[in-house]
Amino acid sequence: MHPKYGDELAVVVVTYFPGETLEPFLDTLEKATARDVRVVLADNDTAPSDESLDRAAQRDNVHLLRIGENLGYGSAANRGVAELDERYGWIVIANPDLEWHPGSLDELLAVAERWPRGGAFGPLIQEPDGTVYPSARLLPSLGRGIGHAALGKIWSGNPWTRQYRQETAKPAERTSGWLSGSCQLIRREAWDSVDGFDSRYFMYFEDVDLGDRLARAGWLNVYAPSATVMHIGGQATKRASAKMLAAHHESAYRYLADRHRGLLWKPVLAAVKLGLAARLKLATLRER
């Protein structure tokens, strides 16, 4: 039986060479809520050399957890949450390359009050140019996933991508299949009910998998566009783009294979694996 948690709020930030993005994240977080916030920096750097982390750790509300190895996003987030005691019933999992709009975290909490079966809540995520990122999406079924994977890069308006990304829907408070892992408010009770992120996902699809498992456990994934954050862009993934491309394709296959088990699916999954390998090769060549 899970312990009964208090109502305090914590933010777990997974870091890997966050650089100059971390200070604006923490500065804007101070204006995002009127509540006291505990911040845990779960750092994946194997040879700590980023001075921004040391500066951040000097803040009274920040705890720096040096993991000592690169566990990937989900596993590091799990380690960060494990640092929190039972007072913390609300946790935010976030990337460090975000900037919070004033009052945005309080607004997320207000939305959560309206959805007692809500397990995860995702804000509206803006790009620096003001574009709204499609952060609340349908779960990738096999057909929808293949259509998006095959055509998303060459025909962005294809029906599978548009349906999957839910880009035709106006930003409105609603349930979703899954929410972007770059910023989620999660009810600790819901988090515990599914044991957090699946550690088999090093990078990518850990948020898709989490959303699916939360729904299977009876929780709702709620898109809350009345709360807004700005996503600057992946500083960490730029350092190892080829590795991240490979991780993305590996995670996509794992997600589909987990949900299509049995002998009848083996030929289909074999074809999916070949298709993803070809897509990865093309994507890697474009990166050169």
Side-chain angles (χ1 to χ4, degrees):
M1 187 172 179
H2 297 301
K4 184 174 181 179
Y5 292 111
D7 199 42
E8 294 195 32
L9 172 67
V11 176
V12 174
V13 189
V14 178
T15 59
Y16 183 76
F17 297 98
E20 61 186 20
T21 65
L22 186 55
E23 190 169 353
F25 176 98
L26 295 170
D27 287 345
T28 57
L29 177 62
E30 292 179 2
K31 299 177 182 179
T33 177
R35 300 176 60 165
D36 291 333
V37 183
R38 178 67 167 169
V39 178
V40 178
L41 304 178
D43 185 47
N44 268 330
D45 187 5
T46 55
S49 59
D50 193 328
E51 294 180 359
S52 66
L53 290 166
D54 294 322
R55 290 195 300 271
Q58 294 174 10
R59 301 188 185 215
D60 291 340
N61 65 324
V62 174
H63 168 58
L64 175 57
L65 171 64
R66 293 201 183 274
I67 296 172
E69 57 182 315
N70 190 355
L71 298 179
Y73 189 81
S75 293
N78 290 346
R79 289 281 295 273
V81 173
E83 294 287 301
L84 301 168
D85 61 35
E86 289 81 4
R87 292 173 295 169
Y88 297 94
W90 296 100
I91 50 176
V92 173
I93 309 293
N95 289 348
D97 51 353
L98 294 176
E99 293 185 13
W100 299 82
H101 283 213
S104 53
L105 187 43
D106 279 341
E107 177 59 24
L108 271 181
L109 289 162
V111 172
E113 289 296 317
R114 298 196 287 270
W115 295 80
R117 288 306 301 169
F121 303 85
L124 183 146
I125 299 175
Q126 283 184 336
E127 306 284 4
D129 64 0
T131 302
V132 175
Y133 178 73
S135 59
R137 307 186 186 188
L138 296 179
L139 290 169
S141 64
L142 193 58
R144 192 159 50 229
I146 291 173
H148 170 63
L151 298 173
K153 293 292 185 182
I154 59 176
W155 178 22
S156 60
N158 76 78
W160 296 280
T161 294
R162 289 178 66 82
Q163 184 188 35
Y164 168 55
R165 289 162 65 101
Q166 293 285 276
E167 291 178 298
T168 56
K170 292 182 179 179
E173 191 171 305
R174 58 180 172 84
T175 58
S176 175
W178 64 281
L179 303 162
S180 171
S182 63
C183 185
Q184 290 190 57
L185 170 70
I186 302 176
R187 197 183 301 269
R188 186 92 177 265
E189 182 185 355
W191 173 268
D192 278 2
S193 73
V194 296
D195 296 322
F197 285 120
D198 186 334
S199 60
R200 295 176 303 150
Y201 293 86
F202 178 78
M203 196 78 174
Y204 303 111
F205 275 82
E206 71 285 317
D207 45 7
V208 187
D209 173 79
L210 178 68
D212 184 32
R213 289 187 294 112
L214 283 171
R216 290 170 187 260
W219 299 97
L220 299 173
N221 296 284
V222 180
Y223 182 44
S226 53
T228 303
V229 300
M230 183 172 69
H231 190 203
I232 306 301
Q235 299 297 311
T237 53
K238 289 175 184 176
R239 300 179 64 93
S241 57
K243 184 179 180 181
M244 292 302 100
L245 279 171
H248 186 276
H249 287 74
E250 179 183 343
S251 293
Y253 178 79
R254 172 171 285 120
Y255 178 86
L256 292 172
D258 276 355
R259 287 154 180 82
H260 298 88
R261 298 178 182 272
L263 289 175
L264 291 176
W265 286 108
K266 285 190 178 297
V268 177
L269 290 172
V272 168
K273 180 174 278 191
L274 285 173
L276 286 170
R279 186 177 186 268
L280 173 59
K281 188 172 183 179
L282 288 172
T284 304
L285 287 172
R286 282 198 297 265
E287 285 289 314
R288 291 178 179 174

